[in-house]
Structures are given as structure tokens and as C-alpha cells.
Amino acid sequence: MKYIVNNSNDAEYNLAFEEYCFTNLPKDEDYLILWINGPSIIIGKNQNAREEINNKYVEENNIQVVRRPTGGGAVYHDLGNLNYSIITTSQGERIIDLKKYNIPIMKALEKLGVESEFSGRNDLVIDGKKFAGIAQSVKRNRVLNHGAMLFDVDLDALTESLNVREDKYKSKGVKSVRSRVTNIKPYMDDRIGMEEFKDTLLRTMFEMKKEEPEEYILSEEELKGIDKIYNERYGTWEWNYGYSPDSNFSNYKRFPFGSIDVRLDIKNGVIDGCKIFGDFFGVEDIQNLEDKLKGERYEKDHIRTILKEKNLKEYFGDIELEEFIELLFD
């Protein structure tokens, strides 16, 4: 096994980094990558992005939203979260023993005075509380086993960023299952920092394989390959939001001039249908506004640009652009 250094905190780049290493590095070797994302929400491949996040909180706090290529639910990451990727060769099995791949994690925690256990299908827990979620992918006899550990995460930010009003979005996307979670750090005998925790985990992984740590240094060509995946996929709105399963959005608010009830059909991240109801009084036909929104990308800045051309007061009464934008998204 060799380890690969990735010092980036950009979640979009880091997912491109992981994918490239999984699919393109020489297959006669196993690899370990330890990496840390800045504030971000990582959603599963089959999830509706907006259905999983507190959109207002995410925007106000500059939290990235990135789609991963594997299934599962949405998770919050920040600089207190340690991600790990273990890339190995399959022995022919199609269903991988997740526990086997994560024993080194539990052994590393033992060294730090923390007792943990494997729970359910893919969780690591301390005192019955989840601190790591595990996923795996098998492709061309290669296995990617990856997880995210809550070491010293801002749990308030985690709660707020994933606190979604479930009555707004209805879709066929896979819903996240919320669990009781905890950080690792409070359970340690010695309150070490992230870098020491990271080093302990790396050393333990190699000790269990009875190998000396050896670094695999990516070539310039390999780094360009990562950039290509980043630019074509993970760094794009089309992948992170547009890939979302079809959904229906509804929102209602009463204003001094009357109520507005918005219904949107969203397909591939684009507004496919729009109906606006209410007891407001306007001089313009509301269907003109509905038609204007149809076919447009369901993205806040884009819709704001489209609606700047319209005098919304002619449709509803005394309403500001930002009030209507909030109604469409929050």
C-alpha cells in the first residue's frame, strides 16, 4: 500500500481527486488517501440537492454543495471532519465486507483511548452515536472504500445546514436518514489536534499491513487528469444541482397585498412547469410571468437575472424582487 497526499480543502476538487485515483492509478498497488474538506454538504448520487439542504443557511455561510458518484445520504463536512479513501483490488467478490475495511479505523481509535464499534450496515459508533459513515464502490475489480469521520466538527452548523422543511420539495430522490451523531475528540484521553489524529490513523493503517509508509507522488499528467474531471463534472452546476431527480416545489406566503402560492415542476434542474396562485391583485396576466420562468435553470442567481427585467409590482402589488426570489427557493 502507498499513501497519497492531498492538502486541498476544496470539496469539489477533492471528489475529482478521489475519482481519478480510483479509476486511473496503476492497479498493481493499493492506496490510502486522507483528506479534509472545507464547509460543504456532500450529497448522494441519487438525491435532490435542494431537498437535502437548508438553502438559506448554506448560501449565507458559503457552504459548498457537491454530489458524489456513490449513493447514500447527505453529510456535512468542515475542517473538523477527516475523510479517508482506501483503494484496493477486489478478490472477485461483489459484496464487500465493510467491517473488514474499517477495522484499522477502530484500532487507531483504541490507541487514542476511544472504544468504537461497527453498527448496522455501514456506521461506526461511539456510545451508540454515529461518528463515521462508510460507503463503497466496485469497478473493474477495484474497490473504493471511503468514509468520513466526525473528529471535531461544528455540530451546530451540521444541524442547521441539513435542517430542511420537508413539505417544500417532493421528489423520487433518495432521502437522507438522520442519526444521532458525535465527535471523536471529546472521548479521547489526550485532546490531540487533527494533524496528529491524521498521522496516527495513517501509521496504524500501515502497521496493520506490516508495511512501512511509502508515498505515491502524482505526476503532472495525473494532476491534469484530476483537473479535467473537476472542470467537467464536480465543479459544475449541471452535476451538483442539475443532475437532481425530477421534483415538485411548492411554497406559500401571505403579504400585506395578498397571498402567493407557487408550484414548480423541476426536471434536470430546469423549471419545466410553473403555476402561481393567490388572492393578489395585478394589472398584468400572471401567465406571462409563468411562461417567462418555464425552461429556465432553477438556480437563484440565474432566476434573479431573468426577473430583473420584469416589474413584479404589476403582477402582484407591492412586492420586491428579493421577496419573490425567496418565495421561489426558501
Side-chain angles (χ1 to χ4, degrees):
M1 176 182 282
K2 295 181 180 180
Y3 70 91
I4 304 172
V5 174
N6 175 16
N7 292 320
S8 166
N9 297 134
D10 182 338
E12 294 176 347
Y13 179 83
N14 290 345
L15 283 170
F17 190 104
E18 181 188 57
E19 179 177 327
Y20 181 88
C21 292
F22 176 41
T23 58
N24 292 280
L25 293 190
K27 295 177 174 52
D28 58 351
E29 187 62 78
D30 295 342
Y31 305 95
L32 169 66
I33 313 169
L34 300 177
W35 43 289
I36 300 171
N37 287 329
S40 53
I41 296 175
I42 313 302
I43 62 172
K45 180 180 180 180
N46 302 311
Q47 292 193 296
N48 182 320
R50 295 192 180 279
E51 197 171 4
E52 296 298 324
I53 66 174
N54 179 343
N55 193 64
K56 186 175 182 180
Y57 183 87
V58 165
E59 289 188 350
E60 289 176 348
N61 291 276
N62 297 313
I63 297 171
Q64 287 182 298
V65 178
V66 191
R67 185 181 303 278
R68 63 177 179 269
T70 53
V75 291
Y76 173 81
H77 289 179
D78 63 20
L79 297 177
N81 185 100
L82 180 61
N83 300 280
Y84 60 94
S85 306
I86 304 169
I87 301 169
T88 60
T89 298
S90 168
Q91 301 303 314
E93 66 267 34
R94 294 298 300 169
I95 299 176
I96 305 302
D97 182 355
L98 288 173
K99 185 174 182 178
K100 177 185 74 174
Y101 281 81
N102 290 279
I103 286 176
I105 306 297
M106 294 185 281
K107 291 292 185 183
L109 290 175
E110 278 183 25
K111 288 187 174 184
L112 298 167
V114 180
E115 293 294 327
S116 63
E117 60 182 335
F118 197 85
S119 176
R121 186 182 63 171
N122 61 340
D123 293 340
L124 291 175
V125 300
I126 301 171
D127 285 346
K129 298 178 183 178
K130 178 178 175 179
F131 71 89
I134 307 156
Q136 57 111 48
S137 181
V138 182
K139 186 176 182 180
R140 297 174 185 169
N141 293 322
R142 291 293 272 175
V143 180
L144 169 63
N145 184 83
H146 58 179
M149 290 181 284
L150 302 176
F151 177 72
D152 192 19
V153 168
D154 184 340
L155 296 180
D156 289 335
L158 181 154
T159 300
E160 287 295 325
S161 63
L162 298 174
N163 183 21
V164 187
R165 268 189 54 190
E166 296 183 359
D167 59 331
K168 284 190 178 183
Y169 287 94
K170 302 296 180 186
S171 81
K172 296 180 181 179
V174 176
K175 307 299 187 296
S176 295
V177 177
R178 308 296 178 211
S179 305
R180 290 194 308 157
V181 298
T182 189
N183 279 312
I184 296 169
K185 192 171 182 177
Y187 293 89
M188 291 182 170
D189 294 335
D190 298 314
R191 299 297 177 84
I192 63 174
M194 172 63 87
E195 285 305 312
E196 190 174 345
F197 175 67
K198 186 177 174 183
D199 290 342
T200 300
L201 179 60
L202 187 145
R203 289 197 308 272
T204 303
M205 296 286 284
F206 279 91
E207 285 173 4
M208 290 197 67
K209 293 183 72 67
K210 298 181 179 178
E211 298 177 9
E212 286 296 318
E214 181 181 353
E215 182 179 356
Y216 181 91
I217 299 176
L218 295 165
S219 67
E220 287 298 318
E221 182 179 352
E222 288 167 335
L223 291 172
K224 288 179 181 177
I226 295 171
D227 288 338
K228 185 174 188 294
I229 295 175
Y230 166 77
N231 290 324
E232 293 181 357
R233 183 179 302 177
Y234 295 104
T236 68
W237 177 91
E238 286 76 11
W239 170 254
N240 293 321
Y241 282 95
Y243 189 85
S244 294
D246 297 346
S247 64
N248 303 113
F249 172 84
S250 62
N251 204 6
Y252 170 92
K253 186 174 181 179
R254 176 163 289 282
F255 297 88
F257 56 80
S259 62
I260 303 178
D261 184 349
V262 175
R263 312 287 177 89
L264 302 176
D265 293 326
I266 304 163
K267 294 184 178 180
N268 297 320
V270 172
I271 299 174
D272 186 63
C274 173
K275 291 299 295 181
I276 301 172
F277 307 96
D279 57 3
F280 50 83
F281 293 96
V283 296
E284 283 286 342
D285 187 347
I286 197 65
Q287 186 175 340
N288 293 334
L289 184 60
E290 294 169 344
D291 291 341
K292 183 69 175 177
L293 291 171
K294 289 177 184 176
E296 298 295 342
R297 191 169 74 185
Y298 187 57
E299 192 269 326
K300 187 175 284 189
D301 288 339
H302 177 71
I303 296 299
R304 182 182 289 111
T305 300
I306 296 297
L307 292 178
K308 279 181 179 178
E309 306 171 5
K310 292 287 186 181
N311 184 351
L312 295 177
K313 290 181 173 61
E314 294 182 348
Y315 293 93
F316 302 109
D318 190 18
I319 190 172
E320 299 299 326
L321 173 60
E322 288 307 314
E323 290 179 305
F324 189 61
I325 290 290
E326 183 175 347
L327 187 67
L328 294 177
F329 290 90
D330 298 323

